Amino acid sequence: MTGDAWNTAAFLVGMIVVLISERFPALMVVAATVIGLLLTGVLDDDTAFAGFSDGAVITVAALYVLAGAIGITGALAGVSRLSFSEDPNVSESRALSRLLVPTTLLSGFVANTPLVSVLVPRVLVWCRRTGR
């Protein structure tokens, strides 16, 4: 193997170890790996930043901005009240069905990526609040 290959392997192993340890946010770990490969000369500028010009990356980023705006404005507060049970006595299967039925119906009309980007933050807040 060449020096670049060994360097890449070392960065990838280090990245995987840090991701598994969950000491730092995944975004920071991956970005640090790309920057490290850029600084060591394994990647050139065009290659290191090529992913940002991909339409899919830009679309997903825009969807998370939209999901944040929806969360801040409370546009889905009514839907959240209906879908997420706050009652700790409700069984997990009932609480899950209250979430999955509307999500399944919505996924017939809305693409899965925006649906997930809007619902994941709300589900995480609900899980923290109810201890599930």
Side-chain angles (χ1 to χ4, degrees):
M1 284 197 333
T2 65
D4 283 350
W6 282 108
N7 203 1
T8 302
F11 270 102
L12 289 177
V13 168
M15 180 183 74
I16 291 169
V17 167
V18 174
L19 285 172
I20 290 172
S21 73
E22 295 184 351
R23 287 185 169 192
F24 301 100
L27 178 63
M28 187 174 13
V29 175
V30 173
T33 302
V34 171
I35 291 169
L37 289 170
L38 179 66
L39 293 176
T40 58
V42 174
L43 296 177
D44 61 1
D45 295 343
D46 292 335
T47 306
F49 299 110
F52 294 112
S53 65
D54 186 12
V57 173
I58 295 168
T59 301
V60 170
L63 288 173
Y64 279 103
V65 170
L66 176 66
I70 288 171
I72 290 170
T73 61
L76 293 179
V79 175
S80 293
R81 276 193 303 278
L82 294 174
S83 297
F84 301 112
S85 174
E86 299 294 329
D87 184 4
N89 298 325
V90 172
S91 69
E92 286 195 21
S93 59
R94 175 134 169 85
L96 189 60
S97 67
R98 285 182 67 175
L99 171 64
L100 291 180
V101 169
T103 303
T104 303
L105 293 173
L106 277 172
S107 71
F109 303 100
V110 179
N112 288 333
T113 302
L115 189 61
V116 168
S117 69
V118 168
L119 288 178
V120 164
R122 305 198 78 58
V123 170
L124 291 174
V125 167
W126 173 69
C127 288
R128 284 188 207 108
R129 200 168 42 232
T130 60
R132 294 181 189 249

